[in-house]
Amino acid sequence: MASSLLSRQLAVCLQHNLRMGAPAGCRYVSKTATKTMVEFEYDAPSMKTEVPGPRSKELAKQLGEIQNVGAVHFFCNYEESRGNYLVDADGNRMLDLYTQISSIPIGYNHPSLMKAMANPNNLSTFVNRPALGILPPENFPDKLIESLLSVAPTGMTRVQTMSCGSCSNENAFKAMFIWYKLKERGMRLPSEEESTSCMINQSPGSPNLSILSFMGAFHGRTMGCLATTHSKVIHKLDVPSFDWPVAPFPRLRYPLEEFARENAQEEDRCLEEVEDLIVKWRQKGKPVAGIVIEPIQAEGGDNHASPDFFLKLRSIARKHGCAFHVDEVQTGCGTTGKFWAHEHWGSDDPADVVSFSKKMLTGGYFYRDELQADKPYRIFNTWMGEPSKNVFLSEVLNVIRREKLLEEVTRSGKALLQGLYELQSQHPHLLSRARGQGTFCAIDLRDENTRNDVIQRTRNKGVLLGGCGDRTIRFRPALVFKEYHAHQFLNIFSDVLRDYK
Amino acid sequence: MASSLLSRQLAVCLQHNLRMGAPAGCRYVSKTATKTMVEFEYDAPSMKTEVPGPRSKELAKQLGEIQNVGAVHFFCNYEESRGNYLVDADGNRMLDLYTQISSIPIGYNHPSLMKAMANPNNLSTFVNRPALGILPPENFPDKLIESLLSVAPTGMTRVQTMSCGSCSNENAFKAMFIWYKLKERGMRLPSEEESTSCMINQSPGSPNLSILSFMGAFHGRTMGCLATTHSKVIHKLDVPSFDWPVAPFPRLRYPLEEFARENAQEEDRCLEEVEDLIVKWRQKGKPVAGIVIEPIQAEGGDNHASPDFFLKLRSIARKHGCAFHVDEVQTGCGTTGKFWAHEHWGSDDPADVVSFSKKMLTGGYFYRDELQADKPYRIFNTWMGEPSKNVFLSEVLNVIRREKLLEEVTRSGKALLQGLYELQSQHPHLLSRARGQGTFCAIDLRDENTRNDVIQRTRNKGVLLGGCGDRTIRFRPALVFKEYHAHQFLNIFSDVLRDYK
C-alpha cells in the first residue's frame, strides 16, 4: 500500500514538475539504481532579463515594507529549480556555484529528498517537532546512527544536534568551558560562591575564560560566536564583545606547493603568536579554554593553511590544556573531496570538537567523550535540532555514497581549479591566487569593485557566484556539480573576463 | 489532479494512522468545516507500564552511548500520538499538559498540518531550504503577510524570522545595540577607531553596552541570551558572561486581586531598582541599550506582574532612551487567552521588540520601524528562519481562527484554575499560589522533592506535567485543550494528591 502510494505520488510530483518547468532545455539523465524515478536537470543557463529582473524588483519593494532587504539578490522559484540550476522569479535559469551560501548538498529538488518527503512514514516526523532533549522519538538513536554517526570524525562517537551553525558553535564553546572548569575543579562540587555569583553574571561562577580564534575567522553571529568572528566590520560593529585573544591566520602564497618554504615560515610565525597569546591571556586571568578554527577560512577570504599547521596547532592546544574545536560548518559534507576537510590532515586524533551545519541540513557538533557535560540541562534548549533534518541527511548521505559524489567532487574540482589557473595566466592583471580543495575553490580579483562587478556580469550571463573576503570569489557548488558544469561555468566566466581587457 | 491526490493521500494517511493507534479508546469528533477529513482524538489516558517503561529505558541506554541523556524523560511514539495525548514507546498514552516544553500549538498530528505536508505545492518548500536573507522564495512576502504579519503586535509592521528562540533574542539584542549606537552617532559615520577596534573585540567598536534583565528571567542559553537569563545555576555555571544589570522581578502574592495593595508596593520597589540600575550602569560606562522581560516569567517559576508594572517599565525605558523588548517565546501564540500575553496590558504601544518561537514554530521578532538596522548584513545568517515553518504557522493560525481557540483557551483555562483553587483549599499544606492566565497556569508544591514526586506519580497515572522554578508545576497544554481535558486532569491530580494526606 505504502509503496504504491509512493509511486503514484512521485508520478504526480514529477508530472507537476514537468508541467511547470521542464519542457524547454531539459535533458533526461538516468544515473541511479532507483527504477521508478526519472531524474532530470536542465542542460544550460537560460536568461530572459537582467538580474534582478522586474518581478524580483517588485517583490523586493513588497518585502522591504516588512524587513531590511538590502542583502536580497533576487527572488527564486524553487519549484522550477533543478540540480545545479536555480530559477528566479523572472524565469531566469542560472548555474548555481553559490548554492544558498554553501548550504544545498545535492542540488535543488533532488528526487531522493522529494521521495523522503512523500513517504507517509515520515509525515509525523515533519509535523510533530519534539523537545529532543527530554522526549526524543523512538527511532532517534537509530536515525542518529544511520545519519550523523555514519560520518563521525575519527575518535568521536558522540554528537549533539542543534538547529543552526551559530547554536552549534555557541554550545560547543559552552561544552569546552564546562570541560575546562570540571578539570580545574576536580572532584570538588561548585562552591556556594560560584553558584551565587553566576546568577548575576559575576566571577567565579561566570568565569573569565576565553576562546582563542583567528583574524579572518567566521564562526557565526550570536554573541559568543561573534566574539570569535573577525572577518568583516559590518558583522561586529556596535555589538558588545568579550576580551578574547585573536591570533593571526597564516597569509600564504598560492599555489601552496610552489611557496612551501616561505609559507612554512609564515605558519610558524602564527603558531608562535598563538602560544604567546595563550600565555598572555593566562597571565591576564582569562585563560584560554579552547581554540576554534576553520580548516579553510571561508567568509574571511578562502584562506588555506597546511596540514602541518593544523597538526602543530592541535599539539599546542593539548600542551596548554585547551580544547581544540574545528568548525566545519562550511567545509564539511564532502565539498573538499573528503567528507570533512580535516581528513586532509591525515590525523587519527584531529580535534576534540567538530561542529557542522549548512549542507549537513542539521546543525550540531561531534565531540570526544571527555567533552560531555557532567550533568543534564547544561547543554540544552527546547528543540535541540530537528528529527526531520536527520531524515533528509540520511538521504543525502545515501546519495553521496551511491553516486560516489566525493570522487565526483574531486574530479570536477580539479577541472574547475585547472580552468582557474588557465584564466589566471591569461588575465594576470585581473586574477590571482587561484586556490582550492575539491570544488571548494576561490580566486582573487584585483580589487573589491572589480570583484563585485564580475560577479554581477557573470550572473547576467547565467552563473551565480558568491564573494568572500575583500576581493575574492568563492566557488561553492553542490556535490552534484560535474566536470560538465565546471566547463560550462569556465566558458561563461572566460567571456566575462574578456571584457576587462 | 492535486486535490484528488490530496484526498487519496489523506485517506491513506488516516487508514495508516487508524491501523496503528486508534481502535481502542478513540472517539470521533467532527468539528471543522473540512469535508474530506475525519479528525479523532483519544478519549482518555491509558497506561501499561510505569514511565519510563522498559522500552524507553532500553532506548535511553542506546542513546546514552551517543549523548548525555540525563534529561530524557522517556521516548515517544509520535505517529500514534493525537491531539492532547502523547503516546510513549511502551504504548502508554498520556494527557499532555507540557506539550514539548510548551511548543506544540494545536496538538499532535493535527489534520490541518498533515494536509499541509501532503500538499504537493508545498513539497519544494520543505526540500529546498533557502538562504532567506539573499534569495527568498517568490511567495515569501505573501507568506509573511498571511502568517506572521496577520498577528503582528500593535504598532509593529516589521518582522525578522530566525530559527529558534535563542537566535531570536540574540538578534533582537543586536538590533537594540545597533539602534542605540545609531542614535548616539547621529549622522556621523563609524570612525576608523570604531572599525578597527571592533575587529579585535575592543571598545569603542565593540561598545560597553548592556541589556537590563530580571532575576528569575529566562531568555535562552546562547551567550548573549544567557547573560539575561537568571533562573537556575545549572544554566549559567562555568560560562563566561557580561557585566549587565539584573533587576528584581516582583514577588507577588496570589490571587493577585486579593493582594493588590501590597503587590503594587512590591512592584514599585522593583521599578525603583530598575531606574537605579540604569543610572548606575550609565555611570559605570556600560549604558543600558535595552530592557528585556517576559510578560510572565516561565522557566523562573511562573511569576506574574500587573499590567501597571509593565506599562510603567515601558515608560522608564522610554525616559532613559532604552529599547523595550518583550520576550513572548513561551507566552505567545494564544496560550494566555489573547494571542500575545502583552495584549492583557491594554497598551497601543506595548514594546519596541517582541520576540517569539516555540508554538509559533518559527523563531523571530517583530520590531518597530526605528529598530531596523541601517544596513544589510548587520542582522543576518545563512538561513534566517525557514519558509516551511511559515507554511505550518499559516495552518495553525487558520485553525486558531476557525475553531475560535482563544475562546477555548479562556474557557478551559478558567476550569483549570478554578480546579486548582479548589485543590489548593483542600490541600493547604501541600499546594499554594495557584495562578494563571488562560491555560498558562501554575501551582506551587511545598518543596522541590514533593513537586518532583507529584509530577512523577501524576505521569504514572497518565498525565504529563512540567516543573519550573524551585517547586512549581507549570501547565502548558496545547490550544486544543478543552474543559473536558481540564476535568480529566483535575480528577487524576486529585487522586494523586490524596496520597499525600
Side-chain angles (χ1 to χ4, degrees):
Chain A
M1 168 69 95
S3 83
S4 84
L5 168 74
L6 204 62
S7 39
R8 267 208 315 281
Q9 279 177 325
L10 279 167
V12 175
C13 287
L14 287 166
Q15 273 170 30
H16 169 86
N17 293 338
L18 286 167
R19 205 173 57 236
M20 298 192 62
C26 80
R27 66 198 167 105
Y28 292 79
V29 187
S30 168
K31 60 170 95 103
T32 77
T34 328
K35 281 186 206 83
T36 50
M37 308 202 35
V38 183
E39 186 182 339
F40 77 90
E41 189 181 54
Y42 301 106
D43 60 1
S46 155
M47 301 304 287
K48 297 183 172 157
T49 71
E50 292 221 314
V51 179
R55 176 82 181 122
S56 271
K57 283 182 184 160
E58 187 189 313
L59 288 166
K61 221 169 138 188
Q62 215 180 318
L63 188 58
E65 300 289 313
I66 304 171
Q67 52 191 223
N68 191 319
V69 289
V72 170
H73 298 344
F74 54 86
F75 285 76
C76 302
N77 184 334
Y78 288 104
E79 287 196 330
E80 291 201 32
S81 302
R82 288 291 175 288
N84 291 281
Y85 295 89
L86 178 63
V87 175
D88 79 0
D90 289 277
N92 298 299
R93 183 203 307 151
M94 287 160 268
L95 178 66
D96 189 357
L97 277 79
Y98 195 39
T99 59
Q100 312 295 322
I101 320 180
S102 201
S103 69
I104 298 287
I106 51 175
Y108 297 103
N109 289 310
H110 195 287
S112 293
L113 300 185
M114 301 293 265
K115 199 171 143 185
M117 266 295 295
N119 183 344
N121 293 332
N122 291 334
L123 271 175
S124 109
T125 305
F126 284 88
V127 165
N128 306 296
R129 186 176 189 177
L132 268 176
I134 58 169
L135 295 166
E138 205 171 357
N139 66 3
F140 191 57
D142 283 346
K143 286 285 162 194
L144 282 181
I145 289 166
E146 115 192 8
S147 62
L148 287 166
L149 287 177
S150 77
V151 292
T154 315
M156 298 185 191
T157 57
R158 293 179 171 272
V159 68
Q160 181 58 62
T161 53
M162 287 285 157
S163 292
C164 69
S166 281
C167 285
S168 306
N169 284 339
E170 287 272 341
N171 281 284
F173 293 177
K174 285 171 65 174
M176 296 193 288
F177 290 131
I178 291 169
W179 162 83
Y180 191 91
K181 290 301 287 185
L182 285 176
K183 265 195 319 177
E184 205 178 74
R185 202 178 278 128
M187 300 305 286
R188 178 174 71 74
L189 288 174
S191 67
E192 180 61 27
E193 195 194 355
E194 284 174 315
S195 297
T196 51
S197 60
C198 79
M199 293 300 280
I200 50 167
N201 303 4
Q202 302 297 318
S203 128
S206 305
N208 284 318
L209 293 176
S210 60
I211 302 283
L212 183 142
S213 55
F214 290 83
M215 192 50 71
F218 185 92
H219 301 290
R221 291 156 167 275
T222 48
M223 294 179 72
C225 294
L226 194 59
T228 63
T229 286
H230 317 278
S231 50
K232 289 193 188 112
V233 171
I234 197 84
H235 304 156
K236 290 181 66 84
L237 185 70
D238 297 339
V239 183
S241 195
F242 292 105
D243 178 28
W244 290 354
V246 190
F249 190 88
R251 301 296 293 176
L252 303 189
R253 295 191 65 184
Y254 302 91
L256 296 175
E257 316 78 72
E258 278 180 34
F259 299 94
R261 203 181 48 83
E262 61 188 281
N263 283 344
Q265 278 175 357
E266 165 66 357
E267 291 185 337
D268 284 346
R269 180 186 75 83
C270 295
L271 291 169
E272 230 168 84
E273 182 76 10
V274 167
E275 287 214 66
D276 284 355
L277 287 168
I278 292 174
V279 172
K280 210 181 277 173
W281 252 254
R282 193 188 300 136
Q283 284 164 352
K284 259 186 158 186
K286 298 177 180 179
V288 174
I291 296 176
V292 63
I293 196 161
E294 298 150 277
I296 303 170
Q297 282 192 340
E299 173 70 20
D302 270 38
N303 306 315
H304 292 246
S306 71
D308 189 55
F309 172 80
F310 290 104
L311 297 179
K312 283 180 178 160
L313 187 65
R314 209 267 182 267
S315 297
I316 290 173
R318 205 184 280 106
K319 172 178 160 194
H320 291 276
C322 318
F324 189 58
H325 171 181
V326 177
D327 176 347
E328 294 248 23
V329 168
Q330 189 154 168
T331 51
C333 201
T335 171
T336 67
K338 297 202 183 272
F339 197 86
W340 301 108
H342 71 251
E343 291 173 43
H344 293 282
W345 309 344
S347 165
D348 58 4
D349 180 24
D352 296 306
V353 178
V354 172
S355 58
F356 55 84
S357 188
K358 289 195 186 259
K359 281 192 178 58
M360 295 291 285
L361 305 177
T362 173
Y365 60 96
F366 295 99
Y367 56 99
R368 281 157 45 83
D369 293 1
E370 307 93 276
L371 270 284
Q372 175 144 309
D374 57 328
K375 288 202 172 65
Y377 293 110
R378 302 197 74 173
I379 300 291
F380 192 83
N381 59 47
T382 301
W383 286 320
M384 301 190 86
E386 181 168 8
S388 67
K389 305 299 182 193
N390 293 60
V391 169
F392 279 148
L393 177 60
S394 289
E395 290 305 321
V396 167
L397 297 176
N398 286 339
V399 171
I400 290 176
R401 288 172 192 128
R402 200 171 61 217
E403 302 187 10
K404 299 192 175 28
L405 291 184
L406 297 189
E407 293 170 29
E408 195 81 69
V409 165
T410 304
R411 206 156 38 230
S412 55
K414 249 181 212 155
L416 176 59
L417 189 57
Q418 189 52 42
L420 292 173
Y421 283 142
E422 280 164 28
L423 288 171
Q424 175 174 292
S425 68
Q426 284 163 31
H427 304 275
H429 300 298
L430 195 56
L431 300 177
S432 63
R433 305 176 79 229
R435 56 204 182 273
Q437 213 161 31
T439 54
F440 199 102
C441 293
I443 196 159
D444 283 8
L445 277 292
R446 65 181 165 219
D447 56 44
E448 185 170 355
N449 285 341
T450 310
R451 189 265 315 266
N452 296 345
D453 193 58
V454 166
I455 287 177
Q456 185 156 348
R457 288 188 195 210
T458 310
R459 192 167 76 185
N460 282 331
K461 288 193 187 279
V463 177
L464 192 55
L465 299 173
C468 66
D470 293 331
R471 54 198 186 97
T472 302
I473 292 176
R474 57 175 150 176
F475 303 99
R476 298 291 184 274
L479 307 178
V480 293
F481 182 82
K482 303 196 192 310
E483 276 183 281
Y484 168 86
H485 300 106
H487 293 300
Q488 191 170 79
F489 153 69
L490 289 164
N491 287 336
I492 292 170
F493 198 50
S494 173
D495 285 352
V496 170
L497 296 172
R498 211 168 299 137
D499 294 344
Y500 287 87
K501 276 285 160 80
Chain B
M1 168 70 96
S3 82
S4 85
L5 168 73
L6 204 61
S7 39
R8 266 209 314 282
Q9 279 177 324
L10 279 166
V12 175
C13 288
L14 288 167
Q15 275 169 27
H16 169 86
N17 293 339
L18 286 166
R19 205 173 57 235
M20 299 193 60
C26 79
R27 68 199 165 104
Y28 293 79
V29 188
S30 167
K31 61 170 93 107
T32 77
T34 329
K35 281 185 205 82
T36 50
M37 308 201 37
V38 184
E39 186 182 339
F40 75 90
E41 188 181 56
Y42 301 106
D43 60 1
S46 155
M47 302 303 287
K48 297 183 173 159
T49 70
E50 292 223 315
V51 179
R55 175 82 180 124
S56 272
K57 284 183 185 160
E58 187 189 312
L59 288 166
K61 222 169 137 187
Q62 213 180 319
L63 188 58
E65 300 289 313
I66 305 172
Q67 52 190 224
N68 192 319
V69 290
V72 169
H73 298 344
F74 53 85
F75 285 75
C76 301
N77 184 334
Y78 288 104
E79 287 196 329
E80 291 201 33
S81 301
R82 288 291 175 288
N84 290 281
Y85 295 89
L86 178 63
V87 175
D88 80 0
D90 290 277
N92 298 298
R93 183 203 307 151
M94 288 160 266
L95 178 66
D96 189 357
L97 276 80
Y98 195 38
T99 60
Q100 313 294 323
I101 321 180
S102 201
S103 69
I104 299 287
I106 52 174
Y108 296 103
N109 289 308
H110 194 286
S112 294
L113 299 184
M114 301 294 265
K115 199 171 142 186
M117 265 295 295
N119 182 343
N121 293 331
N122 291 334
L123 271 176
S124 109
T125 305
F126 284 88
V127 166
N128 306 297
R129 187 176 189 177
L132 268 176
I134 58 170
L135 296 166
E138 205 171 358
N139 65 4
F140 191 57
D142 284 345
K143 287 286 162 194
L144 283 180
I145 290 167
E146 112 189 13
S147 61
L148 286 166
L149 287 177
S150 76
V151 291
T154 314
M156 297 185 191
T157 57
R158 293 179 172 271
V159 69
Q160 181 59 62
T161 53
M162 287 286 158
S163 293
C164 68
S166 281
C167 285
S168 306
N169 284 339
E170 288 272 342
N171 281 283
F173 292 177
K174 284 171 65 175
M176 297 194 287
F177 290 130
I178 291 170
W179 163 82
Y180 191 91
K181 291 300 287 186
L182 285 175
K183 266 195 318 175
E184 205 178 73
R185 203 177 279 130
M187 300 305 286
R188 178 174 72 73
L189 287 174
S191 68
E192 180 62 26
E193 195 194 355
E194 284 174 316
S195 296
T196 50
S197 61
C198 78
M199 293 299 280
I200 49 168
N201 303 4
Q202 301 298 317
S203 128
S206 305
N208 284 318
L209 293 176
S210 60
I211 301 284
L212 183 142
S213 54
F214 290 83
M215 193 49 71
F218 185 92
H219 300 291
R221 290 156 167 274
T222 48
M223 294 178 73
C225 294
L226 193 60
T228 63
T229 285
H230 316 279
S231 50
K232 289 193 187 111
V233 170
I234 196 84
H235 304 155
K236 291 181 66 83
L237 185 71
D238 298 338
V239 184
S241 195
F242 291 105
D243 178 29
W244 289 355
V246 190
F249 190 89
R251 302 293 294 175
L252 304 188
R253 295 190 63 184
Y254 302 92
L256 297 174
E257 316 78 72
E258 279 180 34
F259 299 94
R261 204 182 46 83
E262 60 188 282
N263 283 343
Q265 278 175 359
E266 165 66 357
E267 291 185 338
D268 285 346
R269 179 185 76 84
C270 295
L271 291 169
E272 230 168 84
E273 183 76 10
V274 167
E275 287 214 65
D276 284 355
L277 287 168
I278 293 174
V279 172
K280 208 180 280 176
W281 251 255
R282 193 188 301 135
Q283 286 164 351
K284 260 186 156 186
K286 299 178 179 178
V288 174
I291 296 176
V292 62
I293 196 162
E294 298 151 278
I296 303 170
Q297 283 192 338
E299 173 69 21
D302 270 40
N303 306 315
H304 292 246
S306 71
D308 189 56
F309 172 79
F310 290 104
L311 298 178
K312 283 180 177 157
L313 187 65
R314 207 268 182 267
S315 298
I316 290 173
R318 205 184 280 106
K319 173 179 159 194
H320 292 275
C322 318
F324 189 58
H325 171 181
V326 177
D327 176 348
E328 294 249 23
V329 168
Q330 190 154 168
T331 51
C333 201
T335 170
T336 67
K338 297 203 183 272
F339 196 87
W340 301 109
H342 71 250
E343 291 173 43
H344 293 283
W345 309 344
S347 165
D348 57 4
D349 180 23
D352 297 305
V353 178
V354 172
S355 57
F356 55 83
S357 188
K358 289 195 186 259
K359 280 192 178 59
M360 295 290 284
L361 305 178
T362 173
Y365 60 97
F366 295 99
Y367 57 100
R368 280 156 47 83
D369 294 1
E370 306 94 277
L371 269 283
Q372 175 145 307
D374 57 328
K375 288 203 171 66
Y377 294 110
R378 301 198 73 173
I379 300 291
F380 192 83
N381 59 47
T382 301
W383 286 321
M384 301 190 87
E386 179 168 9
S388 66
K389 305 297 182 193
N390 294 57
V391 169
F392 279 147
L393 178 60
S394 288
E395 291 305 321
V396 167
L397 297 176
N398 286 339
V399 171
I400 291 175
R401 289 173 190 126
R402 199 170 60 215
E403 302 187 10
K404 299 190 175 33
L405 290 184
L406 297 188
E407 292 169 30
E408 196 80 68
V409 165
T410 305
R411 208 159 35 233
S412 54
K414 250 182 210 154
L416 176 59
L417 189 57
Q418 189 53 43
L420 292 174
Y421 283 142
E422 280 165 28
L423 288 172
Q424 175 175 292
S425 69
Q426 285 164 29
H427 305 274
H429 301 297
L430 195 57
L431 300 176
S432 64
R433 304 176 79 231
R435 57 204 182 272
Q437 214 161 29
T439 54
F440 199 102
C441 293
I443 196 160
D444 283 8
L445 277 292
R446 67 181 164 218
D447 56 44
E448 185 170 353
N449 285 341
T450 310
R451 188 266 314 267
N452 296 346
D453 192 58
V454 165
I455 287 178
Q456 184 155 350
R457 288 188 194 210
T458 310
R459 193 168 75 186
N460 283 330
K461 288 191 187 282
V463 177
L464 192 56
L465 299 173
C468 67
D470 295 330
R471 54 198 185 96
T472 302
I473 292 175
R474 57 175 150 178
F475 303 98
R476 298 291 183 272
L479 307 177
V480 292
F481 183 81
K482 302 195 193 311
E483 276 183 280
Y484 167 86
H485 300 107
H487 293 300
Q488 190 170 78
F489 153 69
L490 289 164
N491 287 336
I492 292 170
F493 197 51
S494 172
D495 285 351
V496 170
L497 296 172
R498 211 168 298 136
D499 294 343
Y500 287 85
K501 278 283 160 79

